[in-house]
Amino acid sequence: MRPGALLGQVWQDPFCRALLLGGAALHFLLALAFHLSPDETHYALYSINIDWSYFDHPPMSGWLQWPFGQLAQALGAVGKLPDLLMRILPMACWVLSAWLAAAVALMLYPQVPRVSRAALLLWVVSPLPHLLGLALVPDSILMPIMGLSMLVCWRLCHAENLRNTRLWLLLGVLLGMAGLTKYTAIFIGVGCVVALFMAHGQRVLAWRGAWLAVAVALLLISPVIAWNATHHWISLAYQSSHAAGTQTWELYRVGAFVTVQLLGYGLLLVVGTLAARRAASVPITTTITTTGPAATTLNPEPRLSPWLFCLCFGLPPLVLMVYLSGRGSTLPHWSVTAWLALLPAAAAGCVRLWQGVRQGDRRWLAGLGVFQALCCVGLFGLMLSSGIQREQGDEARSLPGQPIATASFNPFADLYGWDAAAVRARELALKNGSPTLAVMNWTLASRFAWYTHEPVKVVQRHLDQFGLWWGVLQPGENVLLVDWSQMSFAPPVGPAEFERCDLLEQQPVFRWGRQIAHFNFQMCKNWLGPKETALDRRN
């Protein structure tokens, strides 16, 4: 069945349609509740600084966000409507990826009843993908590309489609788009190669279509290669260093990463994938025919089962990320496309388990699903309430670099107060002669740059995208330095830093009557560091 027909069949199912529309409505409401996160504004800045590639990622995030970014900036960037505009793309990616996952499940397991419903249910009750359906990161875009690639690749795994040039061309375009989105997209290519070789063996190399797909993919990613070549390969070097990590490999980090994966994506995905090995499916087969007067056709020989097909795309990245997590170098959302690839098999496995156990024994399956749904509800509740911690007493008035020993870190405080702080920072900068806006660490820079429409420089000396855009501090430069209490730094005063930093004022952040964080605005004068360029900070 063609991909369009599969998508139409999923949409015609009232239950599937309700899940897709319900998920979209939920994300729309959440999108109105809080401001943009650091990653969102980082890639939003891509959209108003269009380039062939960037320091930390290829350019697709910025290219696709360009119309929304331009419109948001025209509206002033600060406000619910500009924030909502920047979330249209990730919301669409979540709906499309869920829809495609259900279609892939239907394609791979046509004999499993309601497999598309099971696939959508598993996706809807997985907490972490909802975050990528709100906040755009490159992985948000990779999700639908993974689903489309699996649809096309499965068709090419059938011998009758090997001569279909349009399918090969489409696969090349999808792989090229993936390469323009994120470097880990190489695992989508690995999945295609492994699946095609398992289905056809080495003879796939004899088809011109396969080489056409490779050529198209390489042509599409040429801007990334060209940009890196003219920027001393800084992006590839950064990603390689980031993936390798800087810490000693420790088993407890692997355990922590696996725990977060199981909570973020749900144990049902693991249980279902393991059970799917024996789920009803239609494997790709090779018919063996004898020759001679008494020619007969023997039983077909299975070459590639749907279960193995899903593992081709999902298992390699998961194994590598689990290993690299031992060095603390992997983030939980990096594996989202791997889990999405396993989703069709997991859905078929869960249906098989549900049908194969007694009615009374189904409670443990339902219990896992309810637990995952409660994890989603808990996550949304913490996001809306900004967590359960509050700043009080001395903690609520702490100075830069002077955290209170009893203070606790609140990750959900990161979602509130930045727009107002950016507005105040710009007002103070104008009042003090318009010095440059600055922060200590690059992770704090994106929201001030987005909400103020002004350059923001990073004090800490290492190469980053902000240095490439707006340069680094120069001798004698004055800055308005913004410090955030949840990630505070000592004032950068010293022989190779500023001559002095004076506190101007503090601005608290309140949510539901609780102070959750505060900003310290400092006037730092006369940078004493050496004259340098952004590229000088590579080491």
Side-chain angles (χ1 to χ4, degrees):
M1 188 180 293
R2 293 182 179 276
L6 290 166
L7 290 170
Q9 190 169 337
V10 172
W11 182 255
Q12 289 169 7
D13 185 327
F15 185 80
C16 292
R17 188 164 62 247
L19 286 176
L20 290 171
L21 294 176
L26 173 65
H27 293 167
F28 179 84
L29 294 175
L30 289 172
L32 297 172
F34 46 84
H35 300 296
L36 301 182
S37 62
D39 284 343
E40 286 180 275
T41 48
H42 187 72
Y43 300 116
L45 290 170
Y46 280 15
S47 70
I48 58 174
N49 295 277
I50 294 296
D51 205 343
W52 292 114
S53 193
Y54 300 92
F55 172 74
D56 47 353
H57 285 297
M60 184 64 78
S61 301
W63 291 358
L64 293 182
Q65 281 282 62
W66 178 80
F68 306 108
Q70 296 298 318
L71 183 54
Q73 289 288 292
L75 293 173
V78 177
K80 290 187 179 296
L81 181 56
D83 286 349
L84 181 62
L85 285 171
M86 302 311 297
R87 286 177 169 150
I88 290 176
L89 180 59
M91 288 191 290
C93 286
W94 185 91
V95 171
L96 184 55
S97 61
W99 195 0
L100 287 165
V104 173
L106 191 60
M107 175 183 66
L108 297 178
Y109 296 93
Q111 297 177 338
V112 177
R114 298 184 178 87
V115 69
S116 56
R117 291 185 177 188
L120 281 177
L121 269 175
L122 289 177
W123 196 240
V124 167
V125 298
S126 294
L128 206 150
H130 286 292
L131 299 183
L132 276 65
L134 282 171
L136 181 76
V137 293
D139 304 86
S140 304
I141 302 170
L142 275 187
M143 293 192 304
I145 293 177
M146 171 64 87
L148 286 168
S149 299
M150 292 179 71
L151 281 173
V152 174
C153 186
W154 180 254
R155 294 192 66 194
L156 287 171
C157 285
H158 291 77
E160 63 269 20
N161 292 322
L162 279 176
R163 295 182 182 273
N164 191 326
T165 303
R166 284 186 294 183
L167 282 179
W168 285 111
L169 181 61
L170 179 56
L171 183 62
V173 170
L174 290 170
L175 294 178
M177 290 177 62
L180 286 170
T181 303
K182 192 176 182 181
Y183 294 114
T184 56
I186 191 173
F187 287 110
I188 299 180
V190 169
C192 290
V193 170
V194 174
L196 289 168
F197 266 85
M198 291 184 69
H200 304 298
Q202 294 184 356
R203 64 175 180 150
V204 72
L205 299 175
W207 294 102
R208 288 177 293 180
W211 297 108
L212 174 64
V214 173
V216 169
L218 290 175
L219 178 63
L220 288 176
I221 66 171
S222 60
V224 179
I225 299 173
W227 186 92
N228 271 278
T230 57
H231 288 78
H232 308 283
W233 306 101
I234 55 175
S235 184
L236 296 179
Y238 166 75
Q239 290 295 345
S240 298
S241 175
H242 189 34
T246 58
Q247 306 178 65
T248 303
W249 195 93
E250 296 284 355
L251 183 59
Y252 80 89
R253 295 195 187 99
V254 175
F257 179 78
V258 171
T259 301
V260 171
Q261 292 291 291
L262 294 179
L263 290 175
Y265 297 99
L267 189 59
L268 275 176
L269 283 177
V270 178
V271 172
T273 300
L274 294 175
R277 186 172 184 179
R278 297 183 180 180
S281 61
V282 180
I284 295 174
T285 60
T286 300
T287 301
I288 305 173
T289 305
T290 61
T291 58
T296 58
T297 301
L298 304 179
N299 291 330
E301 176 192 357
R303 294 293 299 274
L304 179 62
S305 69
W307 184 74
L308 283 175
F309 179 76
C310 292
L311 260 59
C312 289
F313 290 88
L315 195 57
L318 275 181
V319 170
L320 180 61
M321 289 177 192
V322 167
Y323 172 75
L324 292 178
S325 68
R327 292 183 177 273
S329 58
T330 52
L331 298 177
H333 68 273
W334 287 3
S335 60
V336 65
T337 51
W339 290 111
L340 185 67
L342 297 176
L343 185 65
C350 286
V351 171
R352 176 180 178 271
L353 287 173
W354 187 264
Q355 293 175 333
V357 298
R358 293 176 299 178
Q359 186 171 358
D361 293 334
R362 293 177 179 175
R363 287 176 295 182
W364 68 274
L365 275 176
L368 286 177
V370 170
F371 175 75
Q372 290 180 214
L374 290 176
C375 286
C376 289
V377 173
L379 176 62
F380 299 152
L382 289 171
M383 291 168 63
L384 291 172
S385 67
S386 70
I388 59 176
Q389 297 96 333
R390 67 168 63 197
E391 289 187 342
Q392 51 190 346
D394 292 339
E395 182 185 356
R397 299 179 296 273
S398 63
L399 299 176
Q402 298 179 358
I404 306 303
T406 58
S408 58
F409 177 69
N410 179 7
F412 299 98
D414 203 20
L415 300 174
Y416 299 95
W418 293 83
D419 57 337
V423 171
R424 185 56 182 159
R426 183 164 56 180
E427 292 172 352
L428 289 173
L430 291 173
K431 184 178 179 180
N432 288 272
S434 298
T436 304
L437 296 181
V439 293
M440 287 297 297
N441 185 272
W442 69 271
T443 58
L444 304 172
S446 59
R447 279 168 292 191
F448 288 110
W450 174 255
Y451 285 125
T452 62
H453 300 199
E454 294 181 6
V456 175
K457 291 189 177 182
V458 178
V459 176
Q460 287 185 337
R461 295 180 182 177
H462 60 75
L463 184 60
D464 54 49
Q465 182 62 57
F466 304 99
L468 295 179
W469 278 334
W470 301 310
V472 298
L473 294 171
Q474 298 300 309
E477 189 169 5
N478 301 328
V479 304
L480 182 77
L481 182 64
V482 186
D483 185 82
W484 181 51
S485 62
Q486 293 287 301
M487 188 178 178
S488 186
F489 295 88
V493 177
E497 297 178 305
F498 289 102
E499 181 180 346
R500 60 180 297 175
C501 286
D502 299 311
L503 180 67
L504 299 179
E505 66 178 57
Q506 290 185 334
Q507 179 168 303
V509 180
F510 291 96
R511 179 67 175 172
W512 291 2
R514 297 174 297 120
Q515 179 174 325
I516 58 174
H518 63 276
F519 292 92
N520 291 303
F521 301 96
Q522 306 168 82
M523 187 66 198
C524 295
K525 295 184 178 181
N526 192 18
W527 177 251
L528 303 174
K531 184 176 181 179
E532 59 186 1
T533 66
L535 290 178
D536 292 331
R537 292 190 170 185
R538 279 179 291 174
N539 298 321

